[in-house]
Amino acid sequence: MTTHTIPTVDTVAWRDDAVRLIDQTLLPTEFTYIDCRTVEQVWEAIKSLRVRGAPAIGVAAAYGVVRAVWNNNAATSDALIKSLEKAADYLATSRPTAVNLFWALDRMRRVAREHVALAPDALKLRLLDEAVEIHEEDDRLCHAIGEHGATLIQDGDGVLTHCNAGGLATSGYGTALAVMFTAHAQGKRIHVYSDETRPLLQGARLTTWELMRAGIETTLICDSVAAQVMREGRIQRVVTGADRIAANGDSANKIGTYMLAVLAKAHGIPFYIAAPTSTLDMSLDNGGLIPIEERAAEEVTEGFGRRTAPEGVNVYAPAFDVTPAELITAIITEKGVHRPPYRKSFLA
Ligand code: MRU
């Protein structure tokens, strides 16, 4: 069987005492790293989607709180932890939907409190270790998601995806794209249709870039083409990522995902969500409780520097929608392929 090597990306890293990020707003035309040396820069990078995608936001936030205390000369660890908590509270205001952000910040807070007995400098190193562990763990989870998810992909499949749930959205390998990378690496011939993903074009700018780099057959479509390619028989499965999954399996992901799930149902096509368990929010009974981010009107009316709607027009721009669990054929996590009823499967 043919096998292929998949190139990964260094989406987020700790380098030279800074949080180094690929500035994703510049892709695909420019590949540039930026170094964030203040917590405000990390906040801005998350808010403006220089770093985006649920797991990558979590990793960036974990390094962000390390950066926030790195040059702090607090005399006691108790004082250091107070400034860490302030930074964590601030980073938590950057984007509301991806639960990985809050999950990573809570984990950093907990580790700080558990190690309050360390001297401040030792505590900083312990916090950096934890951020690195969150980062490396995400990479392991993404590879496991790829392995489980690839079992659902058959040779010759056309696969539709939305937004970007690839290496750029995680620590380097992806969730939904991990499924495609792994199937491709196993020698399965697949053809991926990538929704452009209005208004910020994560599919057009990022997903096609990653898939082409990996040598996977890729076709870019406008979001409104999805029904047509399904009717033409080009799509055998839909696979997307998620930003937050409620206990009953309702899943928030990039705006337009719900529409795809409805279309998949209408065409008898399996619809899969791929996400690490750090994206599960068992504290929420159902998806109606997931906070949905609204973005600035300008992203719709003058995205990428050109006005495309009249001045003063009313705009509604939710960044995410919630796909009801009953439209989801399976949820792929690092633990395996979960089938309904999801609550029972997640608890097991
Ligand atoms: O607004 P974005 O680009 O952060 O939205 C990202 C998505 O919707 C992804 O599908 C999701 O975060 C999963 S990433 C593995």
Side-chain angles (χ1 to χ4, degrees):
M1 191 186 259
T2 329
T3 53
H4 306 275
T5 313
I6 304 298
T8 54
V9 277
D10 278 331
T11 307
V12 189
W14 179 262
R15 294 277 185 283
D16 302 331
D17 292 349
V19 187
R20 182 164 295 173
L21 309 168
I22 298 170
D23 186 347
Q24 299 187 32
T25 61
L26 303 177
L27 282 169
T29 48
E30 277 179 57
F31 187 97
T32 306
Y33 289 103
I34 48 169
D35 284 348
C36 301
R37 293 188 182 279
T38 65
V39 71
E40 288 78 16
Q41 284 171 332
V42 176
W43 186 94
E44 190 280 335
I46 295 173
K47 180 81 185 169
S48 63
L49 274 61
R50 297 183 202 288
V51 60
R52 29 75 42 213
I57 293 172
V59 175
Y63 285 131
V65 292
V66 178
R67 187 50 251 182
V69 297
W70 199 244
N71 296 114
N72 186 313
N73 293 323
T76 66
S77 282
D78 213 30
L80 193 81
I81 292 171
K82 284 206 172 65
S83 83
L84 176 140
E85 303 231 354
K86 207 170 141 215
D89 290 347
Y90 171 61
L91 286 171
T93 64
S94 56
R95 295 191 76 190
T97 304
V99 75
N100 307 59
L101 170 66
F102 309 99
W103 170 87
L105 291 172
D106 284 349
R107 185 159 151 180
M108 297 302 287
R109 284 191 186 99
R110 195 180 61 242
V111 166
R113 287 189 210 117
E114 279 168 10
H115 293 84
V116 63
L118 291 174
D121 280 347
L123 179 58
K124 288 179 196 172
L125 292 174
R126 178 64 191 83
L127 289 166
L128 178 56
D129 281 350
E130 193 64 22
V132 170
E133 179 51 25
I134 288 174
H135 185 174
E136 292 179 351
E137 190 179 286
D138 182 65
D139 191 50
R140 290 193 295 274
L141 303 188
C142 286
H143 280 84
I145 288 169
E147 291 294 330
H148 293 303
T151 62
L152 302 169
I153 306 289
Q154 286 175 15
D155 190 38
D157 274 354
V159 184
L160 176 61
T161 192
H162 191 66
C163 195
N164 172 266
L168 290 165
T170 60
S171 49
Y173 193 62
T175 57
L177 290 200
V179 172
M180 301 166 209
F181 291 150
T182 305
H184 176 71
Q186 291 170 348
K188 290 177 186 164
R189 283 159 305 155
I190 56 171
H191 192 114
V192 181
Y193 288 82
S194 172
D195 277 351
E196 64 175 351
T197 317
R198 278 277 293 155
L200 295 179
L201 305 185
Q202 290 93 328
R205 296 186 302 105
L206 311 175
T207 297
T208 58
W209 181 81
E210 286 197 45
L211 291 167
M212 290 170 78
R213 230 169 138 246
I216 296 178
E217 290 281 336
T218 306
T219 298
L220 172 63
I221 57 171
C222 295
D223 300 337
S224 46
V225 177
Q228 184 62 19
V229 286
M230 288 185 188
R231 174 175 278 175
E232 288 172 2
R234 295 174 190 243
I235 307 297
Q236 280 64 53
R237 10 226 128 227
V238 180
V239 188
T240 77
D243 285 80
R244 196 186 293 227
I245 302 174
N248 70 343
D250 291 351
S251 299
N253 191 50
K254 179 53 57 193
I255 190 75
T257 304
Y258 170 36
M259 183 171 72
L260 286 188
V262 172
L263 289 176
K265 177 99 177 167
H267 290 85
I269 296 168
F271 178 91
Y272 302 120
I273 292 275
T277 48
S278 52
T279 302
L280 288 188
D281 186 348
M282 295 301 284
S283 76
L284 299 186
D285 176 70
N286 64 75
L289 301 167
I290 298 176
I292 299 294
E293 178 182 16
E294 271 189 53
R295 301 285 301 179
E298 292 69 38
E299 291 181 354
V300 178
T301 58
E302 49 190 300
F304 306 99
R306 185 178 181 277
R307 175 158 278 282
T308 50
E311 292 273 2
V313 67
N314 289 327
V315 175
Y316 174 49
F320 300 97
D321 57 26
V322 176
T323 300
E326 58 267 27
L327 295 180
I328 304 172
T329 313
I331 297 177
I332 309 151
T333 72
E334 74 278 7
K335 311 257 189 223
V337 176
H338 303 263
R339 304 272 179 183
Y342 293 112
R343 194 186 306 266
K344 199 164 150 225
S345 177
F346 294 155
L347 290 171

